[in-house]
Amino acid sequence: MAGIYIHIPRLSNHPASRVARSERGAITRLVRAIGIELAYYAESHARNETVETLYLAGFPDDLLDDEVGAVIEAVVAHFDTSAMTEVTLDVDPTTLDRETLRTYASLGISRLHLKAHSFFQEDRDRLALSGSGEQVMRGIEYARLAGFNALSIGFAFGLPDQPEEYWMANLQRAHTLHLPEIVFAAPQTDAPDGPPAQWARNLNLPFADPEWVYRYDAASRYLNDNAYAPYLLTSFARAEACSQHHLLVADHSHVLGIGPSAHSFWWHGSSYTRAHRWDNVTEINRYTDLLLQHQVPINTRSTVDMDTLAEEFLLFQLSTAGGVNLQRMETQYGVDLLTERIEVIASLEAGGLIEPIRNQKLRLTLLGRTHWEEVTHKLLS
């Protein structure tokens, strides 16, 4: 199984406004280039893989409806999508209208991630966002009327100088609106550099300060009390509303990153002993020029050694509600944590940071989730 992540960069000079058809030469080239890149990887990497998830990330709502359709049609044309369970689109809820949403539904988009940031105008002004909290609410209503029950909403959480009543009130309003998934956008200014950090960002894993930890603890307790389960560190969902794409990333599965600045991860062979990671060039014109000349737009590529893969698996899986499968970590990655780190595990359990080991699963407690960095550091050091 594999996931496809297509990154659409900001295309409009005016956020929340689409570029006129007569001015779309560069964007038309971008859509063509994405189709070429999809065709290349379908042949070179995914002949024997089925695609389980498709995520159109970044600013796909800057594309016109037929351009979004062309991108999705290219995926269907070049890949085995018979097992596709989820097609997600990032969208600014303040730009949604009924006609656009009906078109999205007709294209097979099944899930929307609403980049709301905040319902409060003071927060929106601080982030220089267009649109208002009322428009966010209207966009949510339109999405529901169009039949989108799979809705995820993302909030800028723990902004500097953000009043406490705002960040909690955002969660409370999302709860009263019965939105099935709530995602925190964690501050990551102190995140380490390098590819593992980029993948951590894809999972929205926080590299956070004590103030964020305090807010996270309070918000987690509120959401847990209101039937939201934390399936990832900063993603809380009701019932089965989880993002299958993010769970696939957390499971260390194949991910093809398409588009400018997108990141990819791919195992080689059936033995799972080595994998490659690569990222695309960032600049749009450079990306399109390379592909239209039938050259791959790779910026950097690296082979990932097994020690690094084991560390990543621990890092990713520890962020999930299911926790780390210790048996898989031993058989696939060659690391027996129960033998090699038994004293650390005992110390973490005594400190209330992890649950007692059951069925070969190492899981964080609620307290452990607020100290995710500390726990991972102790297990990896």
Side-chain angles (χ1 to χ4, degrees):
M1 292 290 185
I4 297 179
Y5 177 94
I6 300 179
H7 179 252
I8 307 297
R10 176 94 262 177
L11 301 174
S12 171
N13 291 327
H14 305 286
S17 65
R18 293 180 173 188
V19 179
R21 172 73 67 184
S22 61
E23 302 172 0
R24 300 187 73 81
I27 299 174
T28 300
R29 284 165 50 87
L30 173 63
V31 173
R32 286 178 55 204
I34 286 172
I36 294 169
E37 190 179 14
L38 285 166
Y40 170 77
Y41 284 115
E43 180 67 21
S44 65
H45 284 66
R47 287 187 187 181
N48 301 314
E49 290 291 332
T50 55
V51 173
E52 187 175 1
T53 64
L54 171 61
Y55 199 116
L56 283 79
F59 300 92
D61 46 343
D62 273 359
L63 298 175
L64 296 179
D65 299 342
D66 60 339
E67 293 166 339
V68 175
V71 170
I72 294 175
E73 287 170 8
V75 172
V76 174
H78 295 299
F79 293 85
D80 179 359
T81 58
S82 59
M84 184 86 79
T85 60
E86 179 183 273
V87 180
T88 301
L89 185 82
D90 277 352
V91 66
D92 178 352
T94 68
T95 68
L96 292 175
D97 58 61
R98 292 183 176 89
E99 183 178 351
T100 298
L101 284 161
R102 283 195 294 268
T103 301
Y104 286 163
S106 71
L107 293 174
I109 294 165
S110 58
R111 183 174 176 275
L112 298 178
H113 176 63
L114 307 172
K115 298 184 294 182
H117 303 291
S118 179
F119 289 115
F120 295 96
Q121 198 60 47
E122 186 176 331
D123 283 346
R124 300 185 65 81
D125 291 342
R126 186 183 293 112
L127 292 166
L129 298 170
S130 60
S132 64
E134 289 75 15
Q135 288 175 298
V136 173
M137 297 284 285
R138 190 180 308 124
I140 293 169
E141 179 185 357
Y142 287 164
R144 284 213 160 114
L145 290 172
F148 284 97
N149 296 317
L151 293 173
S152 166
I153 189 164
F155 292 116
F157 187 81
L159 293 172
D161 303 320
Q162 184 184 38
E164 182 173 338
E165 61 269 21
Y166 282 11
W167 57 263
M168 282 303 294
N170 275 322
L171 305 183
Q172 291 164 355
R173 186 171 296 183
H175 161 53
T176 58
L177 290 170
H178 304 288
L179 291 169
E181 182 183 2
I182 298 173
V183 179
F184 304 161
Q188 297 176 329
T189 54
D190 296 327
D193 293 326
Q198 176 61 42
W199 284 98
R201 291 186 186 98
N202 288 346
L203 289 174
N204 204 32
L205 302 182
F207 298 87
D209 58 23
E211 175 67 15
W212 192 90
V213 168
Y214 159 71
R215 295 183 174 201
Y216 177 85
D217 180 66
S220 297
R221 293 178 187 279
Y222 171 80
L223 291 173
N224 276 323
D225 290 344
N226 287 282
Y228 286 90
Y231 74 95
L232 289 174
L233 202 67
T234 54
S235 299
F236 294 73
R238 287 175 161 172
E240 298 180 358
C242 309
S243 164
Q244 296 305 307
H245 179 81
H246 286 112
L247 287 175
L248 183 146
V249 172
D251 198 49
H252 235 178
S253 299
H254 300 300
V255 176
L256 284 177
I258 306 295
S261 74
H263 288 245
S264 299
F265 174 85
W266 202 267
W267 292 95
H268 286 272
S270 58
S271 59
Y272 292 95
T273 57
R274 68 189 183 98
H276 283 169
R277 182 183 289 106
W278 64 95
D279 64 287
N280 282 347
V281 297
T282 299
E283 206 273 320
I284 297 176
N285 288 334
R286 176 67 174 157
Y287 169 84
T288 56
D289 287 346
L290 286 169
L291 281 162
L292 293 176
Q293 295 168 21
H294 298 283
Q295 300 179 51
V296 289
I298 293 175
N299 179 41
T300 62
R301 182 198 295 271
S302 61
T303 300
V304 191
D305 62 79
M306 188 53 69
D307 287 343
T308 301
L309 289 168
E311 291 182 0
E312 287 184 12
F313 178 74
L314 174 64
L315 180 148
F316 293 164
Q317 288 289 288
L318 201 59
S319 78
T320 67
V324 183
N325 185 324
L326 296 175
Q327 183 62 47
R328 179 180 168 189
M329 191 158 188
E330 181 179 0
T331 57
Q332 183 173 340
Y333 299 89
V335 177
D336 182 357
L337 273 183
L338 280 178
T339 299
E340 298 175 17
R341 309 297 291 164
I342 187 62
E343 292 182 1
V344 173
I345 289 174
S347 173
L348 293 171
E349 183 179 330
L353 297 175
I354 64 171
E355 298 177 0
I357 304 295
R358 296 285 187 274
N359 300 318
Q360 289 287 305
K361 290 294 185 71
L362 189 159
R363 295 186 180 92
L364 293 174
T365 61
L366 177 59
L367 177 63
R369 294 174 73 83
T370 64
H371 293 79
W372 172 81
E373 280 190 275
E374 176 187 341
V375 174
T376 54
H377 176 74
K378 287 183 176 180
L379 288 169
L380 291 173
S381 61

